[in-house]
Amino acid sequence: MATIPTSGNVPPADAAANLSEDPRSRAPLVLGGHDFTTLTDKVVGLTFRPTPPAWYLAFAVALALLSLLFVTVGYLLTTGVGVWGNNNTVGWGFDIVNFVFWVGIGHAGTLISAILFLLRQNWRTGVNRLAEAMTIFAVMCAGLFPALHVGRVWLVYWLAPYPNQMAVWPQARSPLWWDVFAVTTYALVSAMFWYVGMIPDLATLRDRARRRLPQIIYGLLAVGWTGSNRHWLRFERAYLILAALATPLVLSVHSVVSFDFAVSLLPGWHTTIFPPYFVAGAVFGGFAMVLTLAIPARLWFGLQDLITMRHLENMCKIMLGTGLIVASAYAVEFFTAWYSQHHFEQFAFLNRALGPYAWAFWTMIACNVCIPQLLWFRRIRTNVWTILCVAMAVNIGMWFERFVIVVTSLHRDFVPSSWALFSPTWVDIGMFAGSFGLFFTLFLLFCRFLPVVAMAEVKTVMPQARPTHGPQRFDYQPDPDTPPELRRGSPWT
């Protein structure tokens, strides 16, 4: 019999039950024998305990990268976009690659929170807060690049439709304009969904704070939450409505981003498979980033009993499934180019695999197609270090996917005399690294000052949340100690 791996403060028996596949009972999602009080103490303690030295070290690295972002953006604004490696042939380079990369990462947070909430997937409760925060910060990083790509960023308000004396009006047929509305709407709804879900936990921080300043700040953020029945009723309605609004946005926003490419007449971009391909790729890469954040966070903050191996394994399974969709999309693109007998289309795809950027293409294939196949093995899915390695590989592969789509389709166009290679400058690389500084600075501040685990939601999936008195006709999620008369198929039901 295979040994169930354990980690941290999780007893072996709990770890085995957590990974159990016995269909007669549901695996526990909270380990360590927690009740409501100890769960609150654990999560609140992360905010009010002294700041650990490792957090300062990580924050210093993130601030250094963020400083690099400020330097490169300042140099760009005072010099012009000519400091990028773009040229007349490759007019889109790192800026659009990074934009699509960060927008894709921003997808998984809302997917975990909204879609899995509507589908009543209880395992989301351990990781949804981390994923929602990731969404907000990733979309902020994404919005940076198209804003700078317009050249004169102080005129970016021209993208907004408003009457003006020059009669300038946005071109509504441009998918770039659609991006403005799609990404902005997605960011606003995701931020509201994140904040509304945190209100009960912010009230807990307010009540547990001992100093006056935190009491005032968390009190303002908690907007007068008292935990009354009326507050819970309105909270649950608002959360459900926002989940219903966010769900179609998950599918629409990256479809709209894919239209930037799909509605063009450029070989390699002009394909109708891009919308589902981009959505699947965004979910694939987004879950990889969630795992990349969740695994160190659960180790550093001692959250192994709240973010369990079951959470990680479920995310691995979703990543494996969406990875197969992405691999199929790669194959379909090549098949369509061959079947079309269109020589420009065929050349574009042969150039990807055999041209000067073949190293990027094969890196993408290795990271997005080959390495994720390791997740078929349960031993790989239940080891945090192998999961982290696979997730990191997928993160790298998804960035290279966007590089391959953008650069290899542009650098050899219809006229060979205009062919040119793209080489990133130090400003390109500095802004890319700096965007990670912005992301991790915000994420570390979130981990330090806000509840990283949704306490109120996690408590709903704990055994103590089940009523032990009063009328109950049927339990859809029976535990081993659930009375037989409440199980499915009993005469009562």
Side-chain angles (χ1 to χ4, degrees):
M1 181 176 176
T3 302
I4 301 296
T6 63
S7 59
N9 52 354
V10 179
D14 282 0
N18 180 240
L19 291 173
S20 172
E21 298 291 349
D22 187 350
R24 294 171 298 179
S25 63
R26 285 188 171 269
L29 296 174
V30 178
L31 307 179
H34 281 291
D35 55 23
F36 289 170
T37 302
T38 59
L39 173 69
T40 303
D41 291 341
K42 188 177 188 66
V43 178
V44 171
L46 298 177
T47 302
F48 293 129
R49 73 179 182 183
T51 306
W55 185 91
Y56 282 115
L57 178 62
F59 195 63
V61 174
L63 279 182
L65 291 174
L66 181 60
S67 302
L68 179 62
L69 178 66
F70 284 131
V71 169
T72 51
V73 170
Y75 182 62
L76 176 81
L77 294 179
T78 55
T79 310
V81 293
V83 299
W84 281 340
N86 300 358
N87 50 52
N88 288 337
T89 304
V90 187
W92 283 1
F94 265 36
D95 45 342
I96 299 301
V97 173
N98 296 336
F99 164 67
V100 182
F101 172 73
W102 282 115
V103 165
I105 286 177
H107 266 69
T110 303
L111 179 84
I112 290 175
S113 291
I115 294 181
L116 297 184
F117 173 74
L118 296 178
L119 296 176
R120 295 293 187 261
Q121 296 297 306
N122 291 336
W123 65 269
R124 64 178 277 282
T125 55
V127 295
N128 69 318
R129 183 64 53 73
L130 281 173
E132 290 167 11
M134 181 195 73
T135 289
I136 306 300
F137 306 146
V139 172
M140 291 172 66
C141 294
L144 179 68
F145 291 97
L148 294 172
H149 189 264
V150 300
R152 296 176 174 85
V153 68
W154 48 92
L155 300 179
V156 73
Y157 67 90
W158 284 10
L159 291 171
Y162 69 98
N164 59 81
Q165 75 278 10
M166 293 183 292
V168 176
W169 197 256
Q171 173 55 276
R173 290 179 295 181
S174 168
L176 293 175
W177 197 53
W178 306 345
D179 273 349
V180 175
F181 286 93
V183 176
T184 304
T185 306
Y186 179 72
L188 289 175
V189 172
S190 297
M192 291 175 59
F193 189 55
W194 181 52
Y195 173 67
V196 169
M198 266 198 305
I199 288 177
D201 296 340
L202 290 170
T204 302
L205 293 179
R206 174 201 61 195
D207 298 338
R208 293 295 188 98
R210 297 188 177 182
R211 291 185 297 148
R212 187 61 180 161
L213 182 60
Q215 287 176 348
I216 294 174
I217 294 175
Y218 291 124
L220 292 173
L221 293 174
V223 291
W225 176 270
T226 63
S228 66
N229 287 343
R230 186 181 297 276
H231 281 186
W232 277 111
L233 176 65
R234 290 175 176 169
F235 166 79
E236 291 179 357
R237 285 180 177 174
Y239 199 67
L240 181 62
I241 291 172
L242 286 171
L245 287 174
T247 300
L249 287 175
V250 172
L251 304 177
S252 69
V253 69
H254 220 49
S255 299
V256 171
V257 171
S258 76
F259 291 160
D260 293 346
F261 308 94
V263 300
S264 71
L265 295 178
L266 194 71
W269 288 3
H270 184 57
T271 171
T272 55
I273 200 176
F274 263 16
Y277 165 25
F278 269 47
V279 171
V283 176
F284 180 49
F287 270 98
M289 183 58 82
V290 172
L291 286 166
T292 305
L293 298 174
I295 290 174
R298 70 192 287 272
L299 293 177
W300 291 341
F301 298 126
L303 297 173
Q304 293 95 331
D305 42 3
L306 302 181
I307 304 175
T308 66
M309 286 306 302
R310 184 128 199 133
H311 295 93
L312 303 183
E313 189 185 16
N314 285 348
M315 287 192 281
C316 286
K317 290 176 180 176
I318 294 179
M319 201 165 69
L320 178 61
T322 50
L324 292 175
I325 297 174
V326 170
S328 301
Y330 294 162
V332 168
E333 279 193 311
F334 274 82
F335 173 79
T336 305
W338 167 78
Y339 194 69
S340 68
Q341 293 297 301
H342 191 282
H343 62 278
F344 285 119
E345 196 77 20
Q346 292 176 341
F347 173 79
F349 282 93
L350 285 176
N351 183 56
R352 282 186 184 179
L354 305 173
Y357 292 106
W359 56 272
F361 174 81
W362 292 110
T363 301
M364 176 191 79
I365 294 296
C367 293
N368 288 351
V369 178
C370 301
I371 293 178
Q373 303 313 311
L374 295 172
L375 297 177
W376 284 104
F377 303 99
R378 197 178 193 216
R379 187 178 293 275
I380 301 292
R381 297 197 309 266
T382 53
N383 184 299
V384 291
W385 302 114
T386 54
I387 294 173
L388 185 61
C389 290
V390 172
M392 293 292 289
V394 172
N395 288 327
I396 295 170
M398 290 309 295
W399 187 88
F400 272 101
E401 178 192 286
R402 281 65 184 248
F403 180 86
V404 167
I405 291 173
V406 173
V407 175
T408 64
S409 299
L410 287 174
H411 84 285
R412 286 182 173 174
D413 61 9
F414 298 96
V415 183
S417 61
S418 65
W419 288 2
L421 294 177
F422 168 81
S423 297
T425 65
W426 69 271
V427 179
D428 284 312
I429 298 172
M431 288 186 62
F432 177 51
S435 65
F436 279 95
L438 174 62
F439 179 82
F440 283 110
T441 298
L442 296 172
F443 186 76
L444 287 168
L445 289 173
F446 157 74
C447 291
R448 186 68 192 92
F449 296 109
L450 292 174
V452 295
V453 174
M455 292 179 282
E457 295 189 63
V458 170
K459 289 174 183 174
T460 63
V461 301
M462 295 173 65
Q464 291 85 346
R466 308 286 172 81
T468 56
H469 60 279
Q472 183 179 6
R473 294 284 299 178
F474 181 73
D475 189 349
Y476 282 90
Q477 299 172 353
D479 286 326
D481 56 349
T482 300
E485 61 271 20
L486 297 182
R487 292 181 178 274
R488 188 190 302 274
S490 73
W492 285 44
T493 61

